């Protein structure tokens, strides 16, 4: 899915009430299936940009279009639906639902949206096997290691086969083996044609074939 | 499928905060059980009072008796009668054309604290609903013949409570049970001639003997005559005057009267109230007054119960809000995954609905179970026949109030989530 960002700005207020800009007049165009790597120090606006693309927050100005959807013009419910159907998020903090089991976490977003495919349990087990979590389907999240949790997060993305993947420091605090699994999964999504926006300081992603690198600190695109 | 998953999420969340859910449910159940029990007991009391008042529209008693005392001691078999009434009043009454029938009553002794009431066969014929057990060869229409003064007819509950059956013997005593001054009439024992069918009224808790037996047992020259100087003892012989000529003085505690019409009731009440030596009361009027008092007590108890229930619901609401705050982060995560506000809010609303409904249902079951368990005790001490599994109006109102307030509170909780800026929670990362 093509992503077109036109002149977006976003600012927040600090504790004193002073406004500070995180993103200013950003223009970016990503073709369908392209990979964008975001660079920049902590607080440079990487997560904010991803949240804007996913429709989780709205920019102060500018527009964001993903395929035929003008995200910035959609209602909150519309953006929720768009996110559930088109976005795969891999968070640094996993964002897993603790009362649910591993397999339920994999299909929860589509289940809540009422968009579960046929034989969804078989498909969920298949992606769990793919990320090396075979046999752990019924286990609760709090019984998993950090590495296993991130694999569940990746399995959730693979299950919904989203058209856009947002990966925010997906391998931070992971062991090498788990990091490799996450890397391979994102690579697989790219091969399936998903548009990918990711931010990572992990060297494992240094040889990840990116179409574009955007430095949020300098504003330079390479 | 979506609804099923939302329900699944609710179950997971409830399991996750199991102890809070259990405590909330138990709190609602206890408060509701209390409301349910109070409703049932007051309903039982009022029903018994009204049903009992239907039998005899008029009671004539000794001069100086209060209306309530007269009705309580005769119709409900509680409270002590005051003073005595000449038997001639009864003889005069039955000749009156305005009287359909009249029944003399004399109270004197008691058995295990249960008053023994002297009546005639006509009274038993009038009040009993047949006999569950009757001594072979005895005729129910003439259960108290003059030839046998030792016969007693007992209520169903008395037989059940004390394990009394036909031919069992017992003696009456005056004075309180366990009182050192109490005196048992072992020389004049009664035997059970019949056990009445259950009536669901005070008769189930009554012991009836021949009126003449009451007179005979307190004849002058009786072995306890020396007690007569004792005021406390004398108090227990109020329904029976001791003669002075070696024979029982024929006195009564009261006369229960059935009149030919309400006008006759009114006239007779007026006449016997103004006559020297007698007083009279319209039973329906007195019972209405008593029931009105009971209704006030019921309303007060109802307010108290509802207050308790609302406090419990408020507690549940606070617990719910605390749980929402705890789960804020998780709800924010759900939003990032594209899970909308509605399904998230619905999970909270359904959860509080389940807690409220489960609490109410558990309360109904608990309340009725407690009533069932305490029924013998309540029946006996309050003199009412309780229906532990009868659902009262108060209870139905309570169910509606609880469910509606529960839903309002869950809606408030739902709105709270709906208006929460959960994205800020994600942004905090």
């Amino acid at each position: 899915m093509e992503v077109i960002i036109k002149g977006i700005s976003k600012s927040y207020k600090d504790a004193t009430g002073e406004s500070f800009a995180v993103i200013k007049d950003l223009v970016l165009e990503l073709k369908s299936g392209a990979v964008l790597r975001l660079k920049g120090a902590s607080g440079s606006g990487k997560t904010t940009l991803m949240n804007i693309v996913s429709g989780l927050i709205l920019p102060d100005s500018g527009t964001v279009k993903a395929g035929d959807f003008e995200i910035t013009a959609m209602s909150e419910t519309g953006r929720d639906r768009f996110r559930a159907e088109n976005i795969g998020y891999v968070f640094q903090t996993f964002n897993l639902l603790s009362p649910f089991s591993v397999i339920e976490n994999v299909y929860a977003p589509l289940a809540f949206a009422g968009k579960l495919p046929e034989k969804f349990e078989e498909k969920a087990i298949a992606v769990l096997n793919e990320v090396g979590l075979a046999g752990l389907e019924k286990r609760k999240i709090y019984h998993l290691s950090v590495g296993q949790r991130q694999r569940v997060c990746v399995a959730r993305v693979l299950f919904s086969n989203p058209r856009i993947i947002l990966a925010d420091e997906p391998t931070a605090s992971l062991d090498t083996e788990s990091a490799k699994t996450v890397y391979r999964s994102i690579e697989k999504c790219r091969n399936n044609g998903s548009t990918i926006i990711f931010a990572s300081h992990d060297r494992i992603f240094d040889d990840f074939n990116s179409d574009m690198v955007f430095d949020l600190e300098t504003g330079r695109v390479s | 499928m979506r609804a099923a998953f939302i329900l699944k999420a609710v179950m997971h969340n409830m399991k996750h905060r199991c102890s809070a859910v259990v405590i909330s449910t138990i709190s609602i159940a206890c408060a509701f059980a209390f409301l349910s029990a109070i409703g049932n007991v007051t309903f039982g009391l009022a029903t018994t009072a009204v049903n009992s008042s239907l039998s005899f529209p008029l009671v004539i008693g000794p001069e100086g008796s209060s209306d309530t005392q007269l009705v309580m001691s005769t119709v409900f078999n509680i409270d002590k009668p005051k003073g005595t009434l000449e038997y001639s009043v009864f003889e005069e009454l039955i000749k009156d054309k305005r009287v359909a029938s009249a029944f003399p009553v004399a109270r004197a002794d008691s058995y295990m604290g249960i008053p023994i009431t002297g009546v005639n066969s006509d009274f038993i014929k009038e009040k009993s609903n047949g006999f569950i057990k009757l001594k072979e060869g005895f005729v129910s229409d003439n259960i108290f013949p003059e030839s046998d003064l030792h016969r007693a007819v007992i209520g169903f509950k008395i037989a059940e409570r004390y394990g009394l059956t036909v031919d069992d013997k017992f003696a009456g005593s005056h004075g309180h049970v366990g009182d050192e001054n109490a005196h048992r009439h072992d020389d004049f024992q009664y035997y059970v001639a019949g056990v009445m069918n259950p009536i669901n009224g005070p008769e189930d808790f009554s012991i009836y003997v021949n009126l003449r037996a009451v007179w005979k047992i307190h004849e002058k020259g009786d072995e306890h005559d020396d007690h007569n100087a004792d005021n406390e003892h004398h108090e227990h012989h109020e329904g029976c005057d001791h003669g002075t000529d070696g024979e029982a003085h024929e006195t009564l505690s009261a006369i229960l009267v059935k009149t030919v019409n309400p006008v006759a009731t009114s006239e007779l009440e007026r006449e016997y109230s103004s006559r020297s030596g007698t007083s009279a009361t319209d039973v329906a009027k007195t019972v209405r007054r008593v029931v009105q008092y009971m209704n006030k007590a019921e309303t007060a108890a109802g307010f108290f119960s509802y207050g308790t229930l609302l406090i419990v619901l408020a507690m549940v609401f606070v617990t719910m809000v605390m749980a929402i705050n705890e789960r804020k982060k998780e709800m924010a995560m759900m939003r990032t995954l594209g899970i909308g506000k509605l399904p998230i809010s619905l999970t909270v609303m359904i959860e509080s609905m389940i807690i409220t409904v489960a609490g109410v249902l558990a309360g109904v079951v608990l309340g009725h179970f407690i009533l069932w368990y305490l029924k013998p005790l309540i029946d006996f001490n309050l003199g009412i026949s309780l229906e532990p599994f009868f659902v009262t109006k108060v209870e139905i109102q309570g169910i509606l109030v609880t469910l509606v307030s529960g839903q309002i509170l869950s809606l408030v909780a739902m709105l709270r989530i709906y208006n929460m800026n959960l994205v800020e929670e994600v942004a905090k990362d």
Side-chain angles (χ1 to χ4, degrees), chain A residues 57 76 83 98 104 112, chain B residues 2 8 12 330 335 423:
Chain A
I57 55 175
E76 200 175 353
R83 206 160 43 245
S98 50
E104 285 164 346
F112 273 114
Chain B
R2 188 187 185 198
K8 205 173 189 179
H12 279 317
E330 197 163 284
R335 295 297 311 282
V423 177

Side-chain angles (χ1 to χ4, degrees), chain B residues 61-65 69-70 80-86 105 107 235 237-241 251-254 277:
Chain B
E63 190 176 7
S65 302
Q69 193 179 34
L70 210 50
K80 277 174 274 183
K82 194 180 176 190
T84 55
L85 190 68
E86 291 299 321
V105 170
R107 282 262 299 269
E235 177 183 79
H237 291 74
E238 291 282 13
C240 184
D241 197 6
T251 55
L252 301 172
S253 303

Side-chain angles (χ1 to χ4, degrees), chain A residues 12 51 56-57 76 80-81 83-84 89 91 93 95-101 104 107-109 111-114 116 120 140 142 156, chain B residues 1-3 5-6 8-10 12-13 15-16 329-330 332-341 343-344 347 418 423 426-427 429:
Chain A
Y12 293 112
N51 285 342
L56 203 58
I57 55 175
E76 200 175 353
D80 284 339
R81 202 176 305 130
R83 206 160 43 245
Y89 234 131
F91 302 90
T93 49
N95 281 15
L96 295 170
L97 309 173
S98 50
F100 291 77
S101 66
E104 285 164 346
Y107 60 71
F112 273 114
L116 275 178
F120 65 93
K140 293 284 179 195
Y142 42 81
R156 185 171 61 195
Chain B
M1 198 66 207
R2 188 187 185 198
F5 198 77
I6 289 174
K8 205 173 189 179
V10 171
H12 279 317
N13 288 335
K15 215 170 146 189
H16 204 58
K329 176 78 192 158
E330 197 163 284
M333 285 181 207
M334 291 168 92
R335 295 297 311 282
T336 61
L337 300 175
I339 301 166
K341 277 181 174 182
I344 296 173
T347 55
Y418 215 86
V423 177
V426 185
D429 286 335

